[in-house]
Amino acid sequence: MSIRVQRDWGEIVRRAVRYVVLGAVTFVVCFPLIWALLTSIKPTGEIFTSPPTWLPKELVVEHYSALIHGKPMYFESGSDYTPDTSPTQHFLSWFFNSVVVAFGAAFISVAIATLAAYSLTRFRYHGRRVIPYLSLLGYMMPPIVLVFPLFLVIVDLGIANSLWSLVFGYVSITMPFCTWLLWAFFRGLPVEIEEAGLIDGASRFQVFYQIVLPSALPGIIAAVIFSVIVAWNDYLFARIFINSVQNLTLTVGVMHFFEGVHVNWGLMMASAVLMTLPLAALFMFFQRHLVAGFGAGGVKG
Amino acid sequence: MALDVVLSRVNKLFGSNHVVKDVDLKFPALNFVTLLGPSGCGKTTLLRMIAGLETVSHGDIYFGERRINLVRPGQRDVAMVFQNYALYPNMNVFRNIAYSLRVRGTPREEMEKKVREVAEILEISHLLDRKPRHLSGGQRQRVALGRAMVRNPAVFLMDEPLSNLDAKLRVNMRSELKLFHQRLQTTTVYVTHDQLEAMTMSDLIAVMHDGKVQQFGTPAQIYNEPCNLFVAGFIGSPPMNFLPASLDRDSGGRLRVGGAMLDVPGETFPGLGDCPADAKLVLGIRPQDVELAAEALPGSLAGEVVLVELLGSEKLVDIRLDGGQRLVVQVRADRDIAVGENVRAVISPNAMQLFDEASGESLRRR
Ligand SMILES: Nc1ncnc2c1ncn2[C@@H]1O[C@H](COP(=O)(O)OP(=O)(O)OP(=O)(O)O)[C@@H](O)[C@H]1O
Ligand SMILES: [Mg+2]
């Protein structure tokens, strides 16, 4: 016996509308990225043709190779001043700086936040209830308020114009929020799993790194991703803490592709694409972990 | 090797909150002992002190000859099943069961063999690769048991392991746990607030109330000879009836209950003779131990049926006695009885309990 499936036209229409709306929103959100990608592979001459071409007529990698090989810029501004190095020659070190600073800051920030959050949820002392809320409050402070006092501290420490200054700066803005995030996470982790570990004969330390840390992994990954994004996208701190061109990070560095009134859009867009890639890859890799990990299941109910 | 567990005047205070009061108990080796009591009476706290997860405020705990107050949980050779199972969420079933062996540095092959053995017994061999969050409640419980079983501990502790299972599974697991105990050959301390679990599974039951042990004995002793009003009322379902009573010296020590006079088996209640004449007493009788008679026998209590509940093979008949007190009687389901009917309740003298109202203590000989 076969079952006739009835077509529900209303449902089909609703579904179609849903797809159209979602597709439109996705397109709007992704448009800048798509446009940057398309622009970056057009020859310089084609970028400003009117009407604009959608797909490049001619596919070139000159902007990418200029960034990677550090070719001198082929555009002459016409002014008397010609710098002895061109910004493209620094692109790779900016990229490297960004990676070091973002991941270094994320590592330090999350390492401290993890221990702090664990202690806040498991040990009893004065203030353990207010600290998480205060740290959330601290994160709400706009960075512009913090940046000058921090700069003075950094000068006093003698680390101005070094990557350390950025690492410390980013740790100081991401760590409070990471602490709060992980605090919320550890709070949801039943203390009985640790007690079970102790009864099973593990030391406190073993319990921490064999049971607690792996169980909190989704929270830790979320905190790392958050910290990396904040550091990676920061402009303000890098603009103020760093003087020398080779110590810049990407966000400030690529501003050198503006030369007076002229902007080299091809390089700009190629940099934008290269800046986005690492984070996009990071997200894609960890997203599965994030979703799968939430709602730890060691406990019934 | 199984050990005695001895609690000697054990106390626990959380700040000024006295949660466990002067508990003196001896759990003989290999016995299945249950801590039974209502919610909040300190059962979990006592169990956690035995496990070493809570410090003992005053008193001593011994495993065999060894005082273990200051021994760390990992060194006590106890295994514990938590109320919420507390499986390690990041590890699969195999690694959950194997964890205690792993931290002791057991060789891989031996570990493998032991875990598979335990999984076989608990019928969870097909689940070894799963994470706890992909298991049903009953399966999680087996894993929790497996984790304890693989250790072969000296003392086995369980905190309400069945409370989150559905009714049918709970009944099955009761008998499984009992079998499990026989197989494990270990002293087991089991915590529950479910008297049926306690009755069916235990060798010995400690009834607790308000941090104190009320009575410690076999299930039969606890059921037939409750030592005070609390135990009498807590054990048994439907609960025991309590009727105010007083002693009538003029009729030679008979009991006046409402308007009726009852004979008391003197040899069961030798303390009755010493009671002051005006002592207020409480007569306790289980619904199963009351007969309903049609005619007015001597020593029967007259009343009117106000409610009849069918339980399946039995009926519960709620009677308002002429004195205004309520009496619940259990009769067979095929007995015809209607609301509003006038009946006479006959109390079986051998099943009756007598308590001193002021102290709550039983007057029964012990
Ligand atoms: N860590 C603690 N700090 C303060 N008070 C506590 C603590 N643990 C338990 N208590 C108190 O001790 C009393 C006994 O708690 P316990 O958990 O032992 O009860 P229980 O008999 O196991 O109850 P249940 O059947 O509900 O599990 C309760 O009043 C509880 O509030
Ligand atoms: Mg409890």
Side-chain angles (χ1 to χ4, degrees), chain B residues 14 17 19 38-45 83 160 193:
Chain B
F14 288 113
N17 188 4
V19 172
S39 192
C41 70
K43 310 179 295 283
T44 298
T45 307
Q83 186 163 358
E160 309 206 19
H193 61 252

Side-chain angles (χ1 to χ4, degrees), chain A residues 195 200 210 214 298-300, chain B residues 48 83 88 99 104 140 164:
Chain A
E195 295 176 338
D200 268 350
Q210 290 177 344
V299 178
K300 66 191 161 183
Chain B
R48 286 169 59 85
Q83 186 163 358
Y88 310 127
Y99 188 69
R104 285 179 174 73
R140 283 177 199 184
N164 287 31

Side-chain angles (χ1 to χ4, degrees), chain A residues 189-216 292-301, chain B residues 48 51 53 72-75 78-80 82-91 96 99-104 132-133 137 140 147 151 160-164:
Chain A
L189 215 60
V191 69
E192 283 92 345
I193 64 173
E194 293 170 50
E195 295 176 338
L198 290 179
I199 290 180
D200 268 350
S203 65
R204 270 215 165 261
F205 192 57
Q206 276 176 317
V207 165
F208 185 69
Y209 77 87
Q210 290 177 344
I211 297 171
V212 175
L213 278 190
S215 306
F294 280 118
V299 178
K300 66 191 161 183
Chain B
R48 286 169 59 85
L53 297 172
R72 281 192 287 130
Q75 314 293 317
V78 300
M80 181 156 168
F82 288 81
Q83 186 163 358
N84 59 11
Y85 306 148
L87 303 182
Y88 310 127
N90 56 310
M91 301 183 197
N96 258 283
Y99 188 69
S100 60
L101 303 176
R102 193 173 122 206
V103 295
R104 285 179 174 73
R133 66 172 165 275
R140 283 177 199 184
R147 206 164 60 174
R151 300 257 315 269
E160 309 206 19
L162 305 186
S163 62
N164 287 31

Side-chain angles (χ1 to χ4, degrees), chain A residues 220-237:
Chain A
I220 292 173
I221 290 175
V224 168
I225 289 182
F226 162 79
S227 307
V228 168
I229 290 176
V230 166
W232 189 266
N233 288 344
D234 168 76
Y235 180 82
L236 184 63
F237 282 33

Side-chain angles (χ1 to χ4, degrees), chain B residues 332-344:
Chain B
R332 290 175 51 98
D334 54 11
R335 169 98 183 233
D336 261 339
I337 196 146
V339 171
E341 208 172 305
N342 283 313
V343 291
R344 314 281 304 192

Side-chain angles (χ1 to χ4, degrees), chain B residues 29-284:
Chain B
L30 297 180
N31 274 23
F32 193 111
V33 184
T34 299
L35 302 177
L36 175 66
S39 192
C41 70
K43 310 179 295 283
T44 298
T45 307
L46 192 58
L47 196 75
R48 286 169 59 85
M49 285 194 281
I50 299 173
L53 297 172
E54 259 352 308
T55 55
V56 180
S57 306
H58 302 292
D60 304 295
I61 301 179
Y62 298 89
F63 286 0
E65 297 295 304
R66 179 165 169 235
R67 180 172 181 272
I68 47 93
N69 283 39
L70 299 177
V71 179
R72 281 192 287 130
Q75 314 293 317
R76 291 191 184 193
D77 198 15
V78 300
M80 181 156 168
V81 174
F82 288 81
Q83 186 163 358
N84 59 11
Y85 306 148
L87 303 182
Y88 310 127
N90 56 310
M91 301 183 197
N92 64 20
V93 170
F94 181 94
R95 282 157 53 86
N96 258 283
I97 297 177
Y99 188 69
S100 60
L101 303 176
R102 193 173 122 206
V103 295
R104 285 179 174 73
T106 313
R108 179 85 208 168
E109 272 156 36
E110 192 188 331
M111 195 159 90
E112 188 100 14
K113 184 166 152 283
K114 279 193 171 167
V115 172
R116 296 208 181 278
E117 233 173 66
V118 167
E120 197 75 31
I121 294 167
L122 293 171
E123 294 167 23
I124 48 173
S125 302
H126 59 296
L127 302 174
L128 287 177
D129 294 330
R130 296 239 199 124
K131 288 275 178 70
R133 66 172 165 275
H134 297 133
L135 300 177
S136 71
Q139 291 168 335
R140 283 177 199 184
Q141 212 230 355
R142 282 155 194 270
V143 178
L145 287 175
R147 206 164 60 174
M149 201 166 161
V150 79
R151 300 257 315 269
N152 205 2
V155 178
F156 188 27
L157 309 173
M158 289 192 263
D159 190 359
E160 309 206 19
L162 305 186
S163 62
N164 287 31
L165 302 181
D166 65 55
K168 186 155 178 289
L169 196 54
R170 201 177 324 178
V171 175
N172 289 342
M173 286 311 291
R174 275 211 305 254
S175 42
E176 281 199 29
L177 280 182
K178 190 71 195 167
L179 287 175
F180 177 78
H181 167 70
Q182 283 159 9
R183 178 191 293 273
L184 211 57
Q185 290 289 308
T186 306
T187 316
T188 299
V189 184
Y190 185 94
V191 163
T192 183
H193 61 252
D194 180 340
Q195 44 150 326
L196 207 60
E197 269 174 34
M199 284 294 181
T200 50
M201 296 165 67
S202 322
D203 298 318
L204 289 168
I205 299 177
V207 182
M208 291 182 67
H209 178 50
D210 204 15
K212 288 201 269 284
V213 174
Q214 307 290 319
Q215 189 170 2
F216 185 48
T218 64
Q221 282 169 345
I222 302 252
Y223 186 82
N224 296 323
E225 298 159 24
C227 73
N228 61 27
L229 277 172
F230 174 80
V231 177
F234 189 70
I235 304 289
S237 168
M240 186 183 277
N241 294 294
F242 293 119
L243 299 171
S246 58
L247 213 52
D248 193 69
R249 296 263 178 231
D250 304 338
S251 60
R254 295 171 85 194
L255 205 62
R256 183 194 298 281
V257 180
M261 301 293 257
L262 302 185
D263 280 321
V264 182
E267 66 278 16
T268 318
F269 301 104
L272 212 51
D274 311 334
C275 269
D278 58 348
K280 286 205 163 95
L281 302 179
V282 177
L283 167 77

